[in-house]
Amino acid sequence: MDVEQLLRSNFADRADAVDAPRWDLHETVLAGSRELRRRRTRQVAGGLVGGALAVALLSGGLPLLRTQLEDPGQAAGPRESAERAVDLYDIPTRGSLAGDRELLDRIVQLSWDDGIPRDPGESVVPPVDTRRVLFAGEMTDGQVWALVEGVVGDRTLFAWFTGATADGMALTWGPDFAFPDTPMALHDATGDEGYLVVVTKPGDQVRYGALDADGEPVGGYQDVPAVDGVAISRAPSPTWPLYVELQVLRDGAVAYRMPPQQFDTERPGTAVVGSPTAYLSSMVQCLTGRGVEVTVHPDSFGYETDDPAEMETYAVVEQQCREDLGYG
Amino acid sequence: MRDDDEASFEAFVAARSAALLRTAVLLTHDRGYAEDLLQAALIKVYRHWRRVSERGDPYAYVRKALVTTAAGWHRRRTVQEIVDLPAVEQADDRPRSDLGDRDELTQALATLPPRMRAVLVLRYWEDLSETGTAAVLGCSVNTVKTQTSRGLDRLRALVENPAYVNGGR
């Protein structure tokens, strides 16, 4: 049996079954392009726009795209709309230390500086008065973990802080963009296994599985009891990136499949391979070292050119860097 | 953008977007994502449409934007661990086309890593050479060869499975 022939036939059949594109595709593209240009003219951070656009596209297509492209100046205040009332950001602090007001006040003052140089207009450090502690809890060995969200412009960002004690807490993971509904999870990848904390909405169920290299769960999924939307357990450390998969069930159905953010306490300040911090910093270092002018955004990088020929050259260098760094 | 450029872009979208959407569907395995992907790629290209169109048929350039945008999304979802999507089985609740005995191959394709799948789509749907595929993906020809070989091996393992063969397929 010729698999190449089957493949061609499969592609042809499936392509034939694709209906025509939306009738208003052209208008939608023009509207999206105009809005991007307008935002850039306003010197809104390019990375935020790209991120917002990409995430909007990923999250639900046109309706969300249009939502994301709305004029931020006309948008409802990020903390004021009724819709936002159910965001993770708006849920009162959870965790065993949620009642320690003094500790929470100290946590929101902790530094969000991740050491990645960014332009002033692309700060990912939310003002203190926008920061909220979503979770603060003590692990069984006395470690203290906290999840904090804050607002920069019209975007919500999050960061995880951990410490051997409450006094020793420091930025462990982030900052990165947060999404209203998406659960947050952090996994200590030090040693053979480590704490896994999942913060989601009350009523959600959480389970995790260890995946093999083909993405298949080894031994199925294990339920993690969640109290008030917070699940704490211990999970095996990854043998390869994206080794651990979380599943969050909402209303009885799997609503999210996601790897937790992971860190290694034996390498303070560094994240395990596969994390955005490690990826971003190493790629930026590689690209700039090869003469590519790079703009660092909160969650990505971009090039200082719109020239197609230069972009093609940069794409080749980027691929070389990815392969050299083991991300290929 | 000048009026003639606007007209040229609109004509391109009208004439070629169906073909691009078909490729996007094969890349993503999801009509909704494919439409979003195509929009994102066209927005990218529209910004320097004149230069793109002056270099000849823009299709190849838009296709490249499509594929690299798809790869970028993949990076966001894996490396950056941003997963804000409902589970695949929930999102993919539209009626499937009648693919008959090729459903399993389709499902197997969906399990391939996006860049590997992109290589196969470019090689076996777009009929690009290994060199052309490498140019689109911004990688070496050797990478294309490796990805093609591994992808076909994985699919071959499926279609050579006795259950597949004996199922009237």
Side-chain angles (χ1 to χ4, degrees):
Chain A
M1 188 173 298
D2 183 353
V3 70
E4 293 173 89
Q5 188 178 347
L6 276 175
L7 193 55
R8 288 183 194 279
S9 180
N10 176 282
F11 284 158
D13 283 354
R14 290 169 51 215
D16 284 346
V18 176
D19 294 332
R22 296 172 56 95
W23 63 271
D24 59 351
L25 175 62
H26 176 246
E27 287 73 20
T28 304
V29 169
L30 296 191
S33 180
R34 278 194 297 269
E35 184 56 38
L36 283 177
R37 189 185 304 121
R38 189 161 63 89
R39 284 194 174 196
R40 288 186 176 182
T41 303
R42 289 178 172 185
Q43 297 183 330
V44 174
L48 287 171
V49 173
L53 178 63
V55 170
L57 295 171
L58 275 169
S59 302
L62 277 170
L64 264 175
L65 170 64
R66 287 173 177 145
T67 300
Q68 293 290 336
L69 291 178
E70 284 174 358
D71 186 340
Q74 297 175 357
R79 302 298 138 216
E80 295 170 3
S81 71
E83 186 180 349
R84 287 272 187 168
V86 295
D87 292 359
L88 289 177
Y89 181 94
D90 296 307
I91 298 174
T93 306
R94 289 167 285 169
S96 60
L97 300 173
D100 189 338
R101 193 68 251 171
E102 183 185 346
L103 173 63
L104 301 187
D105 289 342
R106 278 163 38 206
I107 290 173
V108 297
Q109 300 286 342
L110 292 170
S111 171
W112 284 50
D113 183 5
D114 61 0
I116 297 177
R118 296 183 176 87
D119 293 337
E122 299 182 343
S123 171
V124 292
V125 178
V128 170
D129 63 0
T130 70
R131 298 179 193 174
R132 293 196 56 175
V133 181
L134 274 59
F135 164 81
E138 193 173 28
M139 304 297 111
T140 52
D141 65 355
Q143 288 187 53
V144 178
W145 288 28
L147 170 63
V148 184
E149 284 191 354
V151 179
V152 176
D154 61 349
R155 295 300 309 274
T156 304
L157 292 110
F158 73 93
W160 285 92
F161 299 86
T162 66
T165 64
D167 292 334
M169 295 180 75
L171 179 68
T172 300
W173 206 100
D176 203 348
F177 292 119
F179 303 98
D181 249 8
T182 304
M184 301 287 185
L186 183 67
H187 178 209
D188 181 354
T190 310
D192 294 334
E193 67 169 26
Y195 291 110
L196 170 67
V197 174
V198 183
V199 180
T200 185
K201 289 189 172 181
D204 288 351
Q205 298 169 272
V206 177
R207 61 191 186 194
Y208 77 86
L211 305 182
D212 63 21
D214 288 326
E216 297 298 325
V218 179
Y221 291 92
Q222 181 173 331
D223 290 329
V224 184
V227 177
D228 200 21
V230 173
I232 301 177
S233 182
R234 291 181 70 83
S237 294
T239 54
W240 62 288
L242 312 180
Y243 175 80
V244 176
E245 180 186 83
L246 287 172
Q247 292 189 351
V248 175
L249 290 77
R250 189 165 292 167
D251 300 325
V254 177
Y256 295 93
R257 295 173 191 269
M258 55 190 291
Q261 279 94 39
Q262 292 165 331
F263 70 100
D264 187 338
T265 55
E266 291 178 350
R267 294 182 296 157
T270 62
V272 297
V273 172
S275 80
T277 304
Y279 175 76
L280 184 61
S281 59
S282 57
M283 284 295 288
V284 168
Q285 188 174 16
C286 178
L287 288 163
T288 54
R290 297 181 186 191
V292 177
E293 293 184 24
V294 175
T295 302
V296 182
H297 303 307
D299 69 338
S300 62
F301 54 82
Y303 300 124
E304 293 287 345
T305 181
D306 276 343
D307 181 80
E310 278 189 326
M311 288 293 286
E312 288 181 16
T313 303
Y314 290 172
V316 172
V317 178
E318 180 185 332
Q319 179 62 26
Q320 288 169 347
C321 281
R322 271 204 300 274
E323 291 178 359
D324 292 349
L325 294 169
Y327 296 112
Chain B
M1 187 180 284
R2 297 187 325 202
D3 286 348
D4 53 345
D5 288 332
E6 291 279 4
S8 159
F9 180 76
E10 183 173 3
F12 175 83
V13 171
R16 308 303 293 273
S17 59
L20 289 164
L21 181 61
R22 286 195 285 270
T23 297
V25 168
L26 298 180
L27 287 170
T28 62
H29 278 255
D30 185 290
R31 167 70 186 230
Y33 296 164
E35 287 189 332
D36 295 342
L37 184 62
L38 177 56
Q39 285 176 43
L42 288 172
I43 287 173
K44 279 185 179 179
V45 170
Y46 177 78
R47 291 178 50 226
H48 29 246
W49 177 250
R50 178 181 294 180
R51 278 179 291 182
V52 171
S53 57
E54 283 175 353
R55 297 173 67 183
D57 183 1
Y59 181 86
Y61 188 84
V62 181
R63 179 178 57 199
K64 178 169 185 168
L66 198 68
V67 173
T68 54
T69 303
W73 286 8
H74 168 59
R75 283 203 299 279
R76 291 184 66 84
R77 294 177 61 190
T78 56
V79 177
Q80 299 188 13
E81 303 176 353
I82 294 175
V83 182
D84 198 34
L85 302 170
V88 170
E89 61 266 30
Q90 285 193 314
D92 193 11
D93 57 1
R94 290 175 299 283
R96 290 187 176 277
S97 62
D98 181 14
L99 298 174
D101 57 6
R102 294 192 180 88
D103 265 353
E104 289 180 24
L105 185 61
T106 302
Q107 290 165 13
L109 276 164
T111 67
L112 299 183
R115 286 182 72 83
M116 184 182 288
R117 189 163 63 237
V119 167
L120 296 181
V121 170
L122 292 173
R123 295 279 288 114
Y124 296 101
W125 167 245
E126 293 279 350
D127 276 332
L128 293 186
S129 65
E130 289 174 339
T131 304
T133 302
V136 171
L137 288 168
C139 64
S140 69
V141 172
N142 279 338
T143 299
V144 170
K145 289 179 177 175
T146 304
Q147 293 285 295
T148 304
S149 173
R150 289 178 182 172
L152 291 176
D153 282 348
R154 287 173 67 164
L155 299 178
R156 191 172 289 115
L158 168 77
V159 300
E160 289 179 351
N161 183 320
Y164 186 92
V165 174
N166 296 332
R169 301 172 173 110

